[in-house]
Amino acid sequence: MSKEVIRPQQFAHATLMAKSNHLELNADQQKELDVLYQGLDRLKPGQLISGTVLRADSDGVLVDISYKSDGLIPRYEFSEHEMKALKVGNTIEVILDELESIHGSVTLSYEKAKEMRAWERITNLFDDGKPVEGVITHKVKGGLSVDIGVQAFLPGSQVDIHRVTDFDTFVGQTITADIIKLNKRRGNVILSRRKYLSNLRAESRKKMMETLEEGQVVQGVIKNITNYGAFVDIGGVDGLLHITDMTWGRIAHPSEIVRLGDTIAVKILSIDKDNAKISLGMKQLSDNPWEQLADQLKIGARIKGKVSSITDYGLFVEIQKGVEGLVHISEISWTERINDLRKHYAVGNEIEALIVSLDKDNRRMSLSIKQLEQNPWDSISQEFKAGDRVKGTISNITDFGIFVTLKPGIDGLVHISDLSWTEHINHPADLYAKGQDVEAIILGVDEDNKKISLGIKQLTQDPWENLEEEYPRGKVIEGTVSKITNFGAFVKLSSGIEGLVHSSELTPAEGEAAVEVGQTRSFRVINVNREERKLGLSLKTEGELAPQKQVSKKPSKVREKQEPQAKPRSLFQMELERHMNTKNKKDS
């Protein structure tokens, strides 16, 4: 038979019974009893004490705390892992809730003891600025819940250095994080894994920065791509690979050279340890092609290349690998007005051009397509002279005139004021159409500004030039009423000239109703002014006309000084001048 183990509670009970029965205790028994009484004095509710595991099963964990009775801790206060690790005889810490419940048993709590120890540990870590380790148990609103002995909150923005969209992947993971906020009274702990990782990264970056040197060639991974370059991770340190340092040639976007995740070789161009900035280069790993240009590539040389890119201001042409030249839009054609280069060229087109400037140090080359041919304007004055009669096709119509193509690429302008001597033209499109063939007189050639002025009305004689000879005062002529106003009627003559019959010059018997638009009648000339292009007419008979003193057409300067004041004008003259001035302003 196995030897029976007498527990302290049984021994205490036996000695107490013996004492109550007035039995004598030996010295050892008395000493043992004194120890038990001292143990009773040290046990107080809320105290953290150690106990020995007597049993661990589905009912819970029975713990001996050296008291008259044992305490049973509920099963739910232990995790599966903790239950599997518990063995009979193990010592664990518990909180004494009650020495004697209504059932006479001891009430213990393992969970409270674990929480108390956890708070002590967490507080010490927080005070020392050290990280804590825990297990992510589940997802909560705004982040994750982490078991670090107590439940702590890990905000979504603090989970990782990069933005996290799927928090479920972190559940069950053991993480290390910094404690950024602690409130024991409220049981509030907030963690930041992002801060912990950033500190690790900063430490790694610091160590890495000490090993890097300018001119060193290293391997890196493309981490991010922007419009101006790419960020490369070189052993935990990010460096900037600028777009201008990717290739000796020209690219529109870094994605033409690299992609996310690519592993590339780069050269360290500069290191700013104070600001932890590193500049990297790819093109520096190969020779500068501008320094290896062939001798025949010089100013004035004809070259062939492919259009590598098209912009609003010109064409970039690749002459050889890594060497490009620019054909500015103004260097495309001597004569053609090109607004959209994409309508005339495409990437990949092979073209020929002339080198007009070359700067190897700054890697710049200016090209020209139009200078492959002679400028047609250089000899334009020999081909076209003022006074020449020319023919052409209307290429464009504007509100100020028409453009006439005299030869391919050479246009002349007929201003609206040079279309007709007599017609009042509101818009050239009222008389002409695009593509119509016309004849004109060259009025002037401006080689410097590449302009040719043309005139159509100059093909015929100016009807106002011999106005006084053709229509002397008193002469009776025929005309057609073209317009009636409140001050008189306008009459159009066979020459195209228009005269005015003032209301005061209509016959009194007939009045204003005597004339109608479209009516052809005879009129008497009463006033002629060639300089101001005015012609006054009347329906009155010669006897009814008021006598008018003849004046010199062009008075001498002496006479102007002697007679500075002009003679009074008739009402008819003033109305005629006012109308003609208004009409001339509209024409201009």
Side-chain angles (χ1 to χ4, degrees):
M1 294 180 61
S2 61
K3 185 178 180 181
E4 184 179 356
V5 178
I6 301 176
R7 295 168 54 197
Q9 292 93 328
Q10 295 172 330
F11 176 78
H13 179 69
T15 53
L16 288 173
M17 289 299 293
K19 194 171 184 180
S20 63
N21 292 328
H22 304 286
L23 299 176
E24 291 294 332
L25 301 176
N26 57 39
D28 292 337
Q29 290 175 331
Q30 185 63 44
K31 185 177 180 180
E32 186 74 23
L33 185 60
D34 291 341
V35 171
L36 289 175
Y37 275 118
Q38 291 174 4
L40 293 175
D41 292 337
R42 65 178 174 81
L43 297 177
K44 295 179 181 179
Q47 188 175 0
L48 177 70
I49 58 176
S50 296
T52 303
V53 176
L54 300 177
R55 187 182 77 242
D57 52 28
S58 59
D59 294 333
V61 178
L62 187 66
V63 179
D64 175 17
I65 60 170
S66 300
Y67 188 58
K68 65 178 182 178
S69 58
D70 300 326
L72 181 65
I73 303 173
R75 168 71 177 76
Y76 62 78
E77 291 196 16
F78 295 86
S79 67
E80 292 294 334
H81 174 73
E82 289 171 333
M83 284 297 293
K84 290 179 180 179
L86 280 178
K87 304 293 182 182
V88 174
N90 286 164
T91 300
I92 61 172
E93 290 185 321
V94 294
I95 290 289
L96 177 61
D97 279 344
E98 288 181 300
L99 275 172
E100 191 171 339
S101 67
I102 57 175
H103 302 292
S105 61
V106 176
T107 304
L108 303 176
S109 174
Y110 174 75
E111 197 172 49
K112 289 182 180 179
K114 186 172 66 172
E115 184 177 348
M116 179 181 289
R117 285 301 187 193
W119 277 111
E120 290 178 2
R121 180 174 58 87
I122 294 167
T123 302
N124 291 334
L125 291 174
F126 179 71
D127 292 340
D128 295 340
K130 295 180 179 179
V132 65
E133 193 176 87
V135 178
I136 297 176
T137 57
H138 59 283
K139 186 171 68 172
V140 295
K141 184 179 180 181
L144 297 167
S145 182
V146 185
D147 183 4
I148 57 172
V150 297
Q151 288 298 316
F153 177 60
L154 176 60
S157 61
Q158 302 298 318
V159 174
D160 205 339
I161 295 175
H162 307 292
R163 184 171 177 267
V164 177
T165 56
D166 186 9
F167 292 133
D168 291 329
T169 57
F170 287 87
V171 176
Q173 290 188 21
T174 300
I175 64 164
T176 304
D178 281 347
I179 304 170
I180 58 175
K181 188 175 181 181
L182 178 66
N183 190 324
K184 184 177 179 181
R185 185 171 60 84
R186 294 186 177 182
N188 186 17
V189 182
I190 299 178
L191 306 177
S192 174
R193 182 170 175 263
R194 178 178 181 175
K195 183 180 177 183
Y196 173 74
L197 294 176
S198 296
N199 291 338
L200 280 182
R201 191 179 183 86
E203 187 66 26
S204 174
R205 184 185 297 112
K206 184 178 179 181
K207 293 180 180 178
M208 190 66 183
M209 290 286 285
E210 293 174 354
T211 64
L212 297 177
E213 296 179 356
E214 291 185 7
Q216 185 179 354
V217 178
V218 295
Q219 294 288 323
V221 179
I222 302 297
K223 182 179 178 182
N224 189 25
I225 297 176
T226 67
N227 291 330
Y228 55 85
F231 287 93
V232 185
D233 184 350
I234 49 174
V237 181
D238 287 349
L240 174 61
L241 175 60
H242 198 270
I243 187 172
T244 57
D245 290 312
M246 289 184 170
T247 175
W248 291 109
R250 183 182 178 277
I251 56 174
H253 196 272
S255 58
E256 297 177 27
I257 301 293
V258 295
R259 292 179 299 177
L260 284 175
D262 284 354
T263 300
I264 60 172
V266 289
K267 186 175 183 179
I268 299 176
L269 303 181
S270 65
I271 300 176
D272 183 354
K273 293 187 177 180
D274 294 334
N275 297 307
K277 291 183 178 180
I278 301 176
S279 296
L280 306 173
M282 279 181 66
K283 71 180 185 182
Q284 288 79 5
L285 297 176
S286 60
D287 294 333
N288 185 353
W290 286 86
E291 296 176 354
Q292 313 297 325
L293 284 179
D295 294 336
Q296 61 266 28
L297 291 179
K298 55 186 179 181
I299 296 176
R302 285 175 172 253
I303 55 93
K304 288 184 178 180
K306 288 185 178 181
V307 176
S308 57
S309 63
I310 301 174
T311 67
D312 293 336
Y313 54 86
L315 305 173
F316 282 93
V317 182
E318 187 178 51
I319 311 304
Q320 63 185 54
K321 188 66 176 178
V323 177
E324 290 182 331
L326 171 65
V327 182
H328 194 269
I329 192 170
S330 62
E331 292 295 326
I332 300 293
S333 174
W334 288 112
T335 55
E336 191 176 357
R337 298 181 181 87
I338 298 176
N339 296 319
D340 189 358
L341 289 169
R342 292 172 179 83
K343 293 182 179 180
H344 302 267
Y345 300 93
V347 174
N349 286 166
E350 185 172 333
I351 64 172
E352 188 176 13
L354 189 75
I355 300 177
V356 293
S357 70
L358 181 60
D359 185 351
K360 292 183 180 180
D361 295 334
N362 294 308
R363 303 192 302 277
R364 292 180 181 177
M365 183 187 299
S366 297
L367 307 174
S368 175
I369 294 176
K370 72 179 185 181
Q371 292 188 38
L372 292 172
E373 302 174 354
Q374 185 181 0
N375 185 355
W377 286 94
D378 290 344
S379 59
I380 202 72
S381 59
Q382 300 175 6
E383 190 173 353
F384 299 102
K385 295 182 175 59
D388 287 354
R389 198 181 186 99
V390 293
K391 290 182 179 181
T393 304
I394 296 176
S395 59
N396 192 23
I397 299 177
T398 67
D399 55 355
F400 57 84
I402 61 175
F403 287 92
V404 180
T405 301
L406 304 180
K407 60 180 293 187
I410 303 296
D411 285 355
L413 171 65
V414 183
H415 194 269
I416 189 172
S417 61
D418 289 314
L419 292 176
S420 174
W421 291 111
T422 57
E423 292 290 334
H424 307 301
I425 302 171
N426 294 323
H427 196 281
D430 296 338
L431 297 178
Y432 299 94
K434 194 173 179 180
Q436 179 181 347
D437 293 331
V438 294
E439 193 174 6
I441 295 291
I442 296 178
L443 304 181
V445 178
D446 185 351
E447 292 183 15
D448 296 333
N449 295 310
K450 299 179 175 59
K451 292 181 180 179
I452 297 178
S453 299
L454 305 175
I456 291 179
K457 73 179 184 181
Q458 287 81 2
L459 292 170
T460 59
Q461 186 178 2
D462 184 0
W464 292 93
E465 188 174 350
N466 300 318
L467 184 67
E468 294 173 347
E469 289 78 10
E470 189 173 353
Y471 302 109
R473 187 177 185 276
K475 181 178 180 180
V476 176
I477 57 176
E478 278 195 351
T480 302
V481 178
S482 59
K483 184 179 180 182
I484 297 177
T485 67
N486 58 357
F487 57 83
F490 286 93
V491 178
K492 193 164 189 177
L493 307 183
S494 58
S495 61
I497 292 175
E498 219 172 35
L500 172 65
V501 182
H502 194 270
S503 55
S504 62
E505 296 300 327
L506 297 172
T507 54
E510 294 179 323
E512 292 186 15
V515 293
E516 296 178 357
V517 174
Q519 185 182 48
T520 301
R521 294 192 58 171
S522 296
F523 301 90
R524 189 179 301 276
V525 178
I526 61 172
N527 185 42
V528 180
N529 191 325
R530 185 182 64 185
E531 285 75 13
E532 297 183 4
R533 297 178 178 261
K534 295 176 182 178
L535 177 64
L537 304 175
S538 176
L539 281 175
K540 292 182 179 181
T541 62
E542 189 174 0
E544 294 173 327
L545 292 174
Q548 186 174 7
K549 187 176 180 181
Q550 293 288 338
V551 296
S552 174
K553 299 176 186 176
K554 296 182 180 179
S556 64
K557 293 183 180 180
V558 177
R559 188 169 180 179
E560 285 179 0
K561 292 181 180 179
Q562 293 174 351
E563 301 177 5
Q565 295 183 347
K567 292 184 178 181
R569 296 175 295 167
S570 66
L571 179 62
F572 164 74
Q573 289 175 317
M574 289 189 289
E575 289 291 349
L576 178 61
E577 289 176 4
R578 184 177 69 82
H579 169 71
M580 297 306 291
N581 287 333
T582 302
K583 187 162 65 173
N584 288 337
K585 287 180 180 179
K586 289 181 179 180
D587 294 343
S588 60

